[in-house]
Amino acid sequence: MSTSAQTDALPPGEPGPRDGGPTGTGASPGHRASRAALLGAMFLMATSSIGPGFITQTTQFTVQLGAAFAFAILVSIVLDIALQLNVWRVIGVSGRRAQELANDVAPGLGWVLAGLLLVGGVVFNIGNVAGAGIGTEALAGIDPRWGAALSAVLAIGIFLSRWAGWAMDRVVVVLGALMLALTLYVAIVSDPPLASAARNTIAPEIIEPLAITTLVGGTIGGYIIYAGAHRLIDAGHTGPDQVAAISRTSVLAIIVTGVMRTLLFLAILGVVVSGADLTGTSQAASAFQAAAGDVGLRLFGAVFWAAAISSVVGCSYTTVSFLTSSTRTPARTRNLLTGGFIGLSLVLFLVLGKAPTTLLVFAGAFNGILLPVGIGVMLYVGWFRRDLLHGYDYPKWLLVIGSIAWLLTLYLAVTSVRPLIDLMTS
């Protein structure tokens, strides 16, 4: 299946330019819909990655490693590209979702993947909803529980809309651009030592393997690596003739996350070098406030809220995509299930009152286990199941690079098992 078979890059039930959906001017409607879907898939993956954990994680490592953190960012970006290129290409060329491919490789394996992702997705979405509440509190002084509720209602509204796919593609682009712009401003105001950061990118003063593996897991772990790829399937961008667009979009998505992480790193680094005290309840909030005063705190709220709400959208969409079929499940049903998943996450957050640290660590352990299993299946299909790729001649050099990078995810899984065992026995 390719765009020649599905001209409008929107799933059935989600109107595009030819059947009553929104249109623009200039290029042909089909071309605009296709371009919007690719851009939406790119930002869906990127904004799914840039969540509350992404911001907290980047801040902590910057405080710990200083300018040397630049090296970990560079290495993680290279590894992320190697892995995502392979995963998106296999899914895109085959036109089948990850769990469907896994079931083709070994019956039942796809449902194991879906089960692991569902557990991690629910827990992480509680954290994302909580993050939206924290963001609204810093931005406008709204009680976190009310802020989380209003944000969840907004996210549910996206999927209940008649133009859910169209709306999601554009919302994630706007939120992604907002986060980049606001963080760039704070990075400029904080006046980071650019020369030191550039030098440490190539010749780091400290090399911390844990930082690298954590960044890889945080960028493409769990559901994140599949978010944009599954969106491309729903948008009709599948088949061997779509390889160039799929590959370009997968790389650009990682670059967007890398740019955001770099800007956030520079913003925090400037504050750390200045000697500001970041011992508050949120190091990231303290850093933004130290860089730009009360305005900085409001900007932190906006960035944190945008990161949280876009991750709610991405996590919910991708989790439900693992539990449904791209061909047998009507788009309206998928959208309703996605809205229900967001509602469930909100209720659990309101009942618990917060995103418990134990649950987040538990979900992180599952992410580490899920990552190498899912990527291993995709690489297996690339190496040995040409029949699932419609006869596509998969580049061996790309599989070799992906397989080398995959070994790192195995290490990530090993480091995740111990926290999981501790949690289960504590």
Side-chain angles (χ1 to χ4, degrees), residues 113-152:
L113 280 178
L116 289 172
L117 189 138
L118 177 62
V119 171
V122 168
V123 178
F124 272 121
N125 227 28
I126 296 173
N128 292 332
V129 170
I134 293 172
T136 55
E137 181 182 32
L139 176 62
I142 300 174
D143 181 275
R145 294 166 70 89
W146 278 107
L150 292 173
S151 300

PDB file of all heavy atoms in Angstrom, residues 113-152:
ATOM      1  N   LEU A 113       4.295  -7.795  23.197  1.00  0.00           N
ATOM      2  CA  LEU A 113       4.749  -6.411  23.024  1.00  0.00           C
ATOM      3  C   LEU A 113       3.655  -5.426  23.413  1.00  0.00           C
ATOM      4  O   LEU A 113       3.906  -4.440  24.108  1.00  0.00           O
ATOM      5  CB  LEU A 113       5.151  -6.174  21.560  1.00  0.00           C
ATOM      6  CG  LEU A 113       6.519  -6.663  21.094  1.00  0.00           C
ATOM      7  CD1 LEU A 113       6.677  -6.378  19.608  1.00  0.00           C
ATOM      8  CD2 LEU A 113       7.627  -6.009  21.885  1.00  0.00           C
ATOM      9  N   ALA A 114       2.449  -5.700  22.953  1.00  0.00           N
ATOM     10  CA  ALA A 114       1.335  -4.793  23.253  1.00  0.00           C
ATOM     11  C   ALA A 114       1.059  -4.735  24.751  1.00  0.00           C
ATOM     12  O   ALA A 114       0.785  -3.665  25.304  1.00  0.00           O
ATOM     13  CB  ALA A 114       0.083  -5.246  22.504  1.00  0.00           C
ATOM     14  N   GLY A 115       1.162  -5.870  25.422  1.00  0.00           N
ATOM     15  CA  GLY A 115       0.928  -5.901  26.860  1.00  0.00           C
ATOM     16  C   GLY A 115       1.971  -5.114  27.628  1.00  0.00           C
ATOM     17  O   GLY A 115       1.651  -4.352  28.551  1.00  0.00           O
ATOM     18  N   LEU A 116       3.248  -5.298  27.249  1.00  0.00           N
ATOM     19  CA  LEU A 116       4.319  -4.538  27.894  1.00  0.00           C
ATOM     20  C   LEU A 116       4.126  -3.042  27.678  1.00  0.00           C
ATOM     21  O   LEU A 116       4.268  -2.231  28.599  1.00  0.00           O
ATOM     22  CB  LEU A 116       5.678  -4.970  27.342  1.00  0.00           C
ATOM     23  CG  LEU A 116       6.178  -6.359  27.753  1.00  0.00           C
ATOM     24  CD1 LEU A 116       7.430  -6.713  26.962  1.00  0.00           C
ATOM     25  CD2 LEU A 116       6.476  -6.402  29.248  1.00  0.00           C
ATOM     26  N   LEU A 117       3.785  -2.683  26.445  1.00  0.00           N
ATOM     27  CA  LEU A 117       3.628  -1.267  26.131  1.00  0.00           C
ATOM     28  C   LEU A 117       2.417  -0.678  26.850  1.00  0.00           C
ATOM     29  O   LEU A 117       2.459   0.473  27.282  1.00  0.00           O
ATOM     30  CB  LEU A 117       3.490  -1.093  24.627  1.00  0.00           C
ATOM     31  CG  LEU A 117       3.535   0.359  24.143  1.00  0.00           C
ATOM     32  CD1 LEU A 117       4.373   0.478  22.877  1.00  0.00           C
ATOM     33  CD2 LEU A 117       2.122   0.877  23.874  1.00  0.00           C
ATOM     34  N   LEU A 118       1.350  -1.461  27.011  1.00  0.00           N
ATOM     35  CA  LEU A 118       0.165  -0.973  27.702  1.00  0.00           C
ATOM     36  C   LEU A 118       0.481  -0.650  29.161  1.00  0.00           C
ATOM     37  O   LEU A 118       0.072   0.397  29.675  1.00  0.00           O
ATOM     38  CB  LEU A 118      -0.952  -2.018  27.631  1.00  0.00           C
ATOM     39  CG  LEU A 118      -2.242  -1.664  28.389  1.00  0.00           C
ATOM     40  CD1 LEU A 118      -2.875  -0.407  27.819  1.00  0.00           C
ATOM     41  CD2 LEU A 118      -3.221  -2.839  28.331  1.00  0.00           C
ATOM     42  N   VAL A 119       1.226  -1.537  29.815  1.00  0.00           N
ATOM     43  CA  VAL A 119       1.585  -1.292  31.220  1.00  0.00           C
ATOM     44  C   VAL A 119       2.415  -0.019  31.338  1.00  0.00           C
ATOM     45  O   VAL A 119       2.125   0.866  32.155  1.00  0.00           O
ATOM     46  CB  VAL A 119       2.366  -2.493  31.796  1.00  0.00           C
ATOM     47  CG1 VAL A 119       2.921  -2.152  33.179  1.00  0.00           C
ATOM     48  CG2 VAL A 119       1.476  -3.723  31.879  1.00  0.00           C
ATOM     49  N   GLY A 120       3.463   0.066  30.515  1.00  0.00           N
ATOM     50  CA  GLY A 120       4.294   1.265  30.557  1.00  0.00           C
ATOM     51  C   GLY A 120       3.538   2.505  30.142  1.00  0.00           C
ATOM     52  O   GLY A 120       3.719   3.582  30.720  1.00  0.00           O
ATOM     53  N   GLY A 121       2.648   2.364  29.147  1.00  0.00           N
ATOM     54  CA  GLY A 121       1.904   3.513  28.640  1.00  0.00           C
ATOM     55  C   GLY A 121       0.960   4.110  29.680  1.00  0.00           C
ATOM     56  O   GLY A 121       0.878   5.332  29.819  1.00  0.00           O
ATOM     57  N   VAL A 122       0.257   3.247  30.415  1.00  0.00           N
ATOM     58  CA  VAL A 122      -0.660   3.746  31.445  1.00  0.00           C
ATOM     59  C   VAL A 122       0.103   4.526  32.506  1.00  0.00           C
ATOM     60  O   VAL A 122      -0.275   5.643  32.889  1.00  0.00           O
ATOM     61  CB  VAL A 122      -1.434   2.583  32.093  1.00  0.00           C
ATOM     62  CG1 VAL A 122      -2.163   3.052  33.341  1.00  0.00           C
ATOM     63  CG2 VAL A 122      -2.426   1.981  31.109  1.00  0.00           C
ATOM     64  N   VAL A 123       1.204   3.940  32.991  1.00  0.00           N
ATOM     65  CA  VAL A 123       1.946   4.582  34.072  1.00  0.00           C
ATOM     66  C   VAL A 123       2.592   5.882  33.598  1.00  0.00           C
ATOM     67  O   VAL A 123       2.540   6.906  34.292  1.00  0.00           O
ATOM     68  CB  VAL A 123       3.003   3.620  34.639  1.00  0.00           C
ATOM     69  CG1 VAL A 123       3.817   4.301  35.727  1.00  0.00           C
ATOM     70  CG2 VAL A 123       2.337   2.368  35.195  1.00  0.00           C
ATOM     71  N   PHE A 124       3.181   5.854  32.417  1.00  0.00           N
ATOM     72  CA  PHE A 124       3.810   7.065  31.908  1.00  0.00           C
ATOM     73  C   PHE A 124       2.775   8.149  31.627  1.00  0.00           C
ATOM     74  O   PHE A 124       3.062   9.339  31.793  1.00  0.00           O
ATOM     75  CB  PHE A 124       4.622   6.777  30.651  1.00  0.00           C
ATOM     76  CG  PHE A 124       6.035   6.380  30.947  1.00  0.00           C
ATOM     77  CD1 PHE A 124       6.524   5.157  30.534  1.00  0.00           C
ATOM     78  CD2 PHE A 124       6.876   7.226  31.653  1.00  0.00           C
ATOM     79  CE1 PHE A 124       7.820   4.772  30.827  1.00  0.00           C
ATOM     80  CE2 PHE A 124       8.172   6.864  31.939  1.00  0.00           C
ATOM     81  CZ  PHE A 124       8.650   5.630  31.529  1.00  0.00           C
ATOM     82  N   ASN A 125       1.579   7.750  31.212  1.00  0.00           N
ATOM     83  CA  ASN A 125       0.567   8.765  30.937  1.00  0.00           C
ATOM     84  C   ASN A 125       0.077   9.427  32.223  1.00  0.00           C
ATOM     85  O   ASN A 125      -0.340  10.586  32.210  1.00  0.00           O
ATOM     86  CB  ASN A 125      -0.607   8.179  30.157  1.00  0.00           C
ATOM     87  CG  ASN A 125      -0.984   9.051  28.977  1.00  0.00           C
ATOM     88  OD1 ASN A 125      -0.151   9.766  28.416  1.00  0.00           O
ATOM     89  ND2 ASN A 125      -2.240   9.021  28.589  1.00  0.00           N
ATOM     90  N   ILE A 126       0.108   8.686  33.329  1.00  0.00           N
ATOM     91  CA  ILE A 126      -0.199   9.309  34.622  1.00  0.00           C
ATOM     92  C   ILE A 126       0.824  10.416  34.882  1.00  0.00           C
ATOM     93  O   ILE A 126       0.475  11.523  35.310  1.00  0.00           O
ATOM     94  CB  ILE A 126      -0.162   8.277  35.760  1.00  0.00           C
ATOM     95  CG1 ILE A 126      -1.263   7.232  35.564  1.00  0.00           C
ATOM     96  CG2 ILE A 126      -0.329   8.961  37.123  1.00  0.00           C
ATOM     97  CD1 ILE A 126      -1.200   6.089  36.550  1.00  0.00           C
ATOM     98  N   GLY A 127       2.100  10.115  34.600  1.00  0.00           N
ATOM     99  CA  GLY A 127       3.151  11.126  34.755  1.00  0.00           C
ATOM    100  C   GLY A 127       2.976  12.292  33.812  1.00  0.00           C
ATOM    101  O   GLY A 127       3.216  13.443  34.186  1.00  0.00           O
ATOM    102  N   ASN A 128       2.539  12.009  32.568  1.00  0.00           N
ATOM    103  CA  ASN A 128       2.320  13.087  31.604  1.00  0.00           C
ATOM    104  C   ASN A 128       1.174  14.000  32.034  1.00  0.00           C
ATOM    105  O   ASN A 128       1.269  15.232  31.935  1.00  0.00           O
ATOM    106  CB  ASN A 128       2.015  12.489  30.223  1.00  0.00           C
ATOM    107  CG  ASN A 128       3.217  11.790  29.608  1.00  0.00           C
ATOM    108  OD1 ASN A 128       4.364  12.133  29.895  1.00  0.00           O
ATOM    109  ND2 ASN A 128       2.958  10.807  28.763  1.00  0.00           N
ATOM    110  N   VAL A 129       0.083  13.398  32.522  1.00  0.00           N
ATOM    111  CA  VAL A 129      -1.055  14.192  32.999  1.00  0.00           C
ATOM    112  C   VAL A 129      -0.634  15.030  34.207  1.00  0.00           C
ATOM    113  O   VAL A 129      -0.983  16.213  34.312  1.00  0.00           O
ATOM    114  CB  VAL A 129      -2.242  13.270  33.356  1.00  0.00           C
ATOM    115  CG1 VAL A 129      -3.333  14.057  34.073  1.00  0.00           C
ATOM    116  CG2 VAL A 129      -2.815  12.632  32.091  1.00  0.00           C
ATOM    117  N   ALA A 130       0.135  14.408  35.106  1.00  0.00           N
ATOM    118  CA  ALA A 130       0.635  15.147  36.266  1.00  0.00           C
ATOM    119  C   ALA A 130       1.518  16.303  35.825  1.00  0.00           C
ATOM    120  O   ALA A 130       1.462  17.405  36.382  1.00  0.00           O
ATOM    121  CB  ALA A 130       1.414  14.206  37.187  1.00  0.00           C
ATOM    122  N   GLY A 131       2.348  16.058  34.791  1.00  0.00           N
ATOM    123  CA  GLY A 131       3.220  17.115  34.270  1.00  0.00           C
ATOM    124  C   GLY A 131       2.439  18.284  33.701  1.00  0.00           C
ATOM    125  O   GLY A 131       2.841  19.443  33.847  1.00  0.00           O
ATOM    126  N   ALA A 132       1.294  17.992  33.063  1.00  0.00           N
ATOM    127  CA  ALA A 132       0.458  19.072  32.543  1.00  0.00           C
ATOM    128  C   ALA A 132      -0.064  19.937  33.694  1.00  0.00           C
ATOM    129  O   ALA A 132      -0.142  21.167  33.578  1.00  0.00           O
ATOM    130  CB  ALA A 132      -0.720  18.486  31.750  1.00  0.00           C
ATOM    131  N   GLY A 133      -0.408  19.296  34.817  1.00  0.00           N
ATOM    132  CA  GLY A 133      -0.853  20.048  35.981  1.00  0.00           C
ATOM    133  C   GLY A 133       0.246  20.917  36.560  1.00  0.00           C
ATOM    134  O   GLY A 133       0.008  22.076  36.935  1.00  0.00           O
ATOM    135  N   ILE A 134       1.463  20.384  36.612  1.00  0.00           N
ATOM    136  CA  ILE A 134       2.613  21.157  37.104  1.00  0.00           C
ATOM    137  C   ILE A 134       2.872  22.354  36.194  1.00  0.00           C
ATOM    138  O   ILE A 134       3.160  23.463  36.650  1.00  0.00           O
ATOM    139  CB  ILE A 134       3.860  20.257  37.181  1.00  0.00           C
ATOM    140  CG1 ILE A 134       3.680  19.177  38.255  1.00  0.00           C
ATOM    141  CG2 ILE A 134       5.113  21.088  37.487  1.00  0.00           C
ATOM    142  CD1 ILE A 134       4.763  18.136  38.265  1.00  0.00           C
ATOM    143  N   GLY A 135       2.750  22.129  34.900  1.00  0.00           N
ATOM    144  CA  GLY A 135       2.982  23.207  33.943  1.00  0.00           C
ATOM    145  C   GLY A 135       1.975  24.336  34.086  1.00  0.00           C
ATOM    146  O   GLY A 135       2.349  25.514  34.072  1.00  0.00           O
ATOM    147  N   THR A 136       0.698  23.996  34.227  1.00  0.00           N
ATOM    148  CA  THR A 136      -0.325  25.047  34.361  1.00  0.00           C
ATOM    149  C   THR A 136      -0.162  25.809  35.675  1.00  0.00           C
ATOM    150  O   THR A 136      -0.446  27.001  35.739  1.00  0.00           O
ATOM    151  CB  THR A 136      -1.740  24.445  34.293  1.00  0.00           C
ATOM    152  OG1 THR A 136      -1.879  23.416  35.284  1.00  0.00           O
ATOM    153  CG2 THR A 136      -2.022  23.868  32.918  1.00  0.00           C
ATOM    154  N   GLU A 137       0.318  25.126  36.708  1.00  0.00           N
ATOM    155  CA  GLU A 137       0.546  25.803  37.982  1.00  0.00           C
ATOM    156  C   GLU A 137       1.655  26.838  37.847  1.00  0.00           C
ATOM    157  O   GLU A 137       1.523  27.981  38.304  1.00  0.00           O
ATOM    158  CB  GLU A 137       0.913  24.800  39.069  1.00  0.00           C
ATOM    159  CG  GLU A 137       1.137  25.447  40.446  1.00  0.00           C
ATOM    160  CD  GLU A 137       1.540  24.448  41.502  1.00  0.00           C
ATOM    161  OE1 GLU A 137       2.219  23.456  41.147  1.00  0.00           O
ATOM    162  OE2 GLU A 137       1.191  24.643  42.674  1.00  0.00           O
ATOM    163  N   ALA A 138       2.767  26.466  37.194  1.00  0.00           N
ATOM    164  CA  ALA A 138       3.885  27.401  37.011  1.00  0.00           C
ATOM    165  C   ALA A 138       3.523  28.512  36.036  1.00  0.00           C
ATOM    166  O   ALA A 138       3.964  29.656  36.188  1.00  0.00           O
ATOM    167  CB  ALA A 138       5.124  26.645  36.521  1.00  0.00           C
ATOM    168  N   LEU A 139       2.693  28.190  35.045  1.00  0.00           N
ATOM    169  CA  LEU A 139       2.346  29.164  34.015  1.00  0.00           C
ATOM    170  C   LEU A 139       1.306  30.169  34.490  1.00  0.00           C
ATOM    171  O   LEU A 139       1.439  31.381  34.264  1.00  0.00           O
ATOM    172  CB  LEU A 139       1.814  28.435  32.774  1.00  0.00           C
ATOM    173  CG  LEU A 139       1.315  29.298  31.612  1.00  0.00           C
ATOM    174  CD1 LEU A 139       2.447  30.161  31.066  1.00  0.00           C
ATOM    175  CD2 LEU A 139       0.735  28.424  30.506  1.00  0.00           C
ATOM    176  N   ALA A 140       0.268  29.688  35.172  1.00  0.00           N
ATOM    177  CA  ALA A 140      -0.861  30.576  35.505  1.00  0.00           C
ATOM    178  C   ALA A 140      -1.345  30.443  36.939  1.00  0.00           C
ATOM    179  O   ALA A 140      -2.363  31.041  37.297  1.00  0.00           O
ATOM    180  CB  ALA A 140      -2.017  30.297  34.541  1.00  0.00           C
ATOM    181  N   GLY A 141      -0.644  29.682  37.765  1.00  0.00           N
ATOM    182  CA  GLY A 141      -1.048  29.548  39.161  1.00  0.00           C
ATOM    183  C   GLY A 141      -2.278  28.698  39.366  1.00  0.00           C
ATOM    184  O   GLY A 141      -2.906  28.747  40.417  1.00  0.00           O
ATOM    185  N   ILE A 142      -2.641  27.880  38.367  1.00  0.00           N
ATOM    186  CA  ILE A 142      -3.816  27.008  38.474  1.00  0.00           C
ATOM    187  C   ILE A 142      -3.469  25.791  39.319  1.00  0.00           C
ATOM    188  O   ILE A 142      -2.371  25.237  39.208  1.00  0.00           O
ATOM    189  CB  ILE A 142      -4.286  26.575  37.071  1.00  0.00           C
ATOM    190  CG1 ILE A 142      -4.664  27.796  36.235  1.00  0.00           C
ATOM    191  CG2 ILE A 142      -5.453  25.609  37.164  1.00  0.00           C
ATOM    192  CD1 ILE A 142      -5.010  27.457  34.791  1.00  0.00           C
ATOM    193  N   ASP A 143      -4.392  25.374  40.155  1.00  0.00           N
ATOM    194  CA  ASP A 143      -4.179  24.167  40.954  1.00  0.00           C
ATOM    195  C   ASP A 143      -3.823  23.002  40.023  1.00  0.00           C
ATOM    196  O   ASP A 143      -4.489  22.793  39.001  1.00  0.00           O
ATOM    197  CB  ASP A 143      -5.453  23.828  41.733  1.00  0.00           C
ATOM    198  CG  ASP A 143      -5.290  22.593  42.603  1.00  0.00           C
ATOM    199  OD1 ASP A 143      -5.471  21.482  42.079  1.00  0.00           O
ATOM    200  OD2 ASP A 143      -4.954  22.751  43.784  1.00  0.00           O
ATOM    201  N   PRO A 144      -2.764  22.225  40.348  1.00  0.00           N
ATOM    202  CA  PRO A 144      -2.305  21.159  39.454  1.00  0.00           C
ATOM    203  C   PRO A 144      -3.394  20.165  39.066  1.00  0.00           C
ATOM    204  O   PRO A 144      -3.420  19.684  37.929  1.00  0.00           O
ATOM    205  CB  PRO A 144      -1.189  20.486  40.264  1.00  0.00           C
ATOM    206  CG  PRO A 144      -0.686  21.547  41.176  1.00  0.00           C
ATOM    207  CD  PRO A 144      -1.885  22.364  41.527  1.00  0.00           C
ATOM    208  N   ARG A 145      -4.281  19.844  39.993  1.00  0.00           N
ATOM    209  CA  ARG A 145      -5.334  18.878  39.674  1.00  0.00           C
ATOM    210  C   ARG A 145      -6.314  19.445  38.656  1.00  0.00           C
ATOM    211  O   ARG A 145      -6.732  18.744  37.718  1.00  0.00           O
ATOM    212  CB  ARG A 145      -6.060  18.467  40.960  1.00  0.00           C
ATOM    213  CG  ARG A 145      -5.175  17.692  41.929  1.00  0.00           C
ATOM    214  CD  ARG A 145      -5.784  17.604  43.309  1.00  0.00           C
ATOM    215  NE  ARG A 145      -6.955  16.743  43.337  1.00  0.00           N
ATOM    216  CZ  ARG A 145      -6.926  15.424  43.552  1.00  0.00           C
ATOM    217  NH1 ARG A 145      -5.769  14.815  43.754  1.00  0.00           N
ATOM    218  NH2 ARG A 145      -8.038  14.708  43.562  1.00  0.00           N
ATOM    219  N   TRP A 146      -6.675  20.724  38.823  1.00  0.00           N
ATOM    220  CA  TRP A 146      -7.538  21.368  37.834  1.00  0.00           C
ATOM    221  C   TRP A 146      -6.814  21.520  36.505  1.00  0.00           C
ATOM    222  O   TRP A 146      -7.391  21.313  35.430  1.00  0.00           O
ATOM    223  CB  TRP A 146      -8.004  22.728  38.346  1.00  0.00           C
ATOM    224  CG  TRP A 146      -9.172  22.657  39.270  1.00  0.00           C
ATOM    225  CD1 TRP A 146      -9.176  22.847  40.619  1.00  0.00           C
ATOM    226  CD2 TRP A 146     -10.522  22.343  38.909  1.00  0.00           C
ATOM    227  NE1 TRP A 146     -10.440  22.682  41.131  1.00  0.00           N
ATOM    228  CE2 TRP A 146     -11.300  22.373  40.107  1.00  0.00           C
ATOM    229  CE3 TRP A 146     -11.155  22.046  37.705  1.00  0.00           C
ATOM    230  CZ2 TRP A 146     -12.666  22.112  40.117  1.00  0.00           C
ATOM    231  CZ3 TRP A 146     -12.532  21.795  37.726  1.00  0.00           C
ATOM    232  CH2 TRP A 146     -13.268  21.825  38.910  1.00  0.00           C
ATOM    233  N   GLY A 147      -5.541  21.892  36.575  1.00  0.00           N
ATOM    234  CA  GLY A 147      -4.758  22.045  35.351  1.00  0.00           C
ATOM    235  C   GLY A 147      -4.642  20.739  34.595  1.00  0.00           C
ATOM    236  O   GLY A 147      -4.754  20.698  33.357  1.00  0.00           O
ATOM    237  N   ALA A 148      -4.425  19.644  35.324  1.00  0.00           N
ATOM    238  CA  ALA A 148      -4.341  18.326  34.691  1.00  0.00           C
ATOM    239  C   ALA A 148      -5.676  17.946  34.063  1.00  0.00           C
ATOM    240  O   ALA A 148      -5.721  17.417  32.938  1.00  0.00           O
ATOM    241  CB  ALA A 148      -3.932  17.284  35.728  1.00  0.00           C
ATOM    242  N   ALA A 149      -6.777  18.226  34.779  1.00  0.00           N
ATOM    243  CA  ALA A 149      -8.106  17.884  34.262  1.00  0.00           C
ATOM    244  C   ALA A 149      -8.423  18.661  32.987  1.00  0.00           C
ATOM    245  O   ALA A 149      -8.896  18.097  31.992  1.00  0.00           O
ATOM    246  CB  ALA A 149      -9.167  18.149  35.330  1.00  0.00           C
ATOM    247  N   LEU A 150      -8.167  19.964  32.999  1.00  0.00           N
ATOM    248  CA  LEU A 150      -8.442  20.794  31.817  1.00  0.00           C
ATOM    249  C   LEU A 150      -7.576  20.359  30.636  1.00  0.00           C
ATOM    250  O   LEU A 150      -8.048  20.319  29.488  1.00  0.00           O
ATOM    251  CB  LEU A 150      -8.181  22.266  32.153  1.00  0.00           C
ATOM    252  CG  LEU A 150      -9.154  22.907  33.156  1.00  0.00           C
ATOM    253  CD1 LEU A 150      -8.677  24.310  33.533  1.00  0.00           C
ATOM    254  CD2 LEU A 150     -10.567  22.971  32.562  1.00  0.00           C
ATOM    255  N   SER A 151      -6.329  20.022  30.913  1.00  0.00           N
ATOM    256  CA  SER A 151      -5.423  19.586  29.845  1.00  0.00           C
ATOM    257  C   SER A 151      -5.875  18.262  29.255  1.00  0.00           C
ATOM    258  O   SER A 151      -5.846  18.064  28.026  1.00  0.00           O
ATOM    259  CB  SER A 151      -3.991  19.460  30.398  1.00  0.00           C
ATOM    260  OG  SER A 151      -3.527  20.690  30.903  1.00  0.00           O
ATOM    261  N   ALA A 152      -6.307  17.339  30.115  1.00  0.00           N
ATOM    262  CA  ALA A 152      -6.780  16.045  29.633  1.00  0.00           C
ATOM    263  C   ALA A 152      -8.041  16.206  28.779  1.00  0.00           C
ATOM    264  O   ALA A 152      -8.189  15.542  27.741  1.00  0.00           O
ATOM    265  CB  ALA A 152      -7.058  15.111  30.817  1.00  0.00           C
TER     266      ALA A 152
END
